Amino acid sequence: RIDDGDGDDDGDVQGEGQGRSEGTNENQLNQPRSLQSQAQPASKSVSDSASLELLTTYEGSNGSYGTMFDVTAASRQSVLVQSVDVHAKAEGPCSVRMYTRPGSHIGHERTTEGWSLLVHGTVQCMGLMKRTAIPPALFRAPVALEAGETRGFYVTMETDALRYSTGIDLGKVYASNAHVMVHEGTG
């Protein structure tokens, strides 16, 4: 769900789950089961910007220790990504790390080159079908994306608690609004 703070539904989008793709390698064609990012126009300070979010899906047919996906800023404005929600099957404290890199994660799934640690800490995992927040306080810094820029993200946990959904087309835009696009990624 995207809320631009103006009280109407003109920018609100909610992504729905997409089924498995026949004949695909599901380890390479997955997207996050639940991703919520808060983005704000980079030209404004945090205190005078409305918080925006984009919800993908809670379908969660797969799970593992981690998932990678790309986020692209809309072509007309820059954004700050300062929190992400994920879907975890566990309840209670969970250790989480999140990395980011300039450009797409595609082609960089098996290397540490170019990845920077963004989050390392413990979150309160909320269990199946509930949002597990990776709050702004755990971010080393918000991630600024210039208009049209794509960044890869990798979220990982110490256990196989992370849930995500099987995608149809690696790199395809899965959910979007006027501010950001979330692309199908790798599980």
Side-chain angles (χ1 to χ4, degrees):
R1 184 173 171 272
I2 301 148
D3 183 2
D4 57 10
D6 63 3
D8 62 23
D9 292 326
D10 65 338
D12 296 356
V13 175
Q14 184 165 349
E16 296 298 326
Q18 296 184 12
R20 290 177 185 251
S21 175
E22 291 183 27
T24 62
N25 177 343
E26 65 184 55
N27 288 330
Q28 293 184 2
L29 294 178
N30 292 313
Q31 72 202 342
R33 177 165 188 205
S34 173
L35 167 74
Q36 177 227 347
S37 64
Q38 295 181 345
Q40 299 179 345
S43 61
K44 296 183 179 181
S45 72
V46 173
S47 62
D48 66 0
S49 298
S51 180
L52 308 169
E53 75 176 30
L54 176 62
L55 179 66
T56 60
T57 180
Y58 281 88
E59 186 268 323
S61 59
N62 281 317
S64 148
Y65 292 85
T67 187
M68 295 179 179
F69 55 93
D70 296 333
V71 176
T72 301
S75 60
R76 62 179 186 247
Q77 68 181 6
S78 301
V79 296
L80 292 175
V81 177
Q82 55 189 23
S83 72
V84 174
D85 288 354
V86 296
H87 185 205
K89 68 181 179 182
E91 292 184 22
C94 295
S95 178
V96 65
R97 289 182 190 217
M98 185 163 51
Y99 300 85
T100 187
R101 66 168 291 111
S104 176
H105 80 280
I106 299 170
H108 304 280
E109 299 90 344
R110 299 187 185 274
T111 180
T112 59
E113 186 176 331
W115 290 97
S116 299
L117 183 64
L118 180 61
V119 170
H120 182 213
T122 301
V123 298
Q124 183 65 31
C125 284
M126 302 306 290
L128 290 172
M129 305 306 290
K130 297 178 184 171
R131 293 180 184 196
T132 293
I134 303 174
L138 288 182
F139 276 60
R140 291 179 177 215
V143 178
L145 284 88
E146 297 302 319
E149 180 184 4
T150 298
R151 287 198 71 89
F153 290 86
Y154 172 42
V155 179
T156 183
M157 294 184 165
E158 289 181 355
T159 66
D160 65 349
L162 197 62
R163 303 300 302 164
Y164 54 85
S165 303
T166 301
I168 294 173
D169 191 4
L170 180 64
K172 179 181 176 184
V173 174
Y174 178 78
S176 64
N177 62 25
H179 308 284
V180 294
M181 296 177 279
V182 176
H183 303 264
E184 294 186 25
T186 305

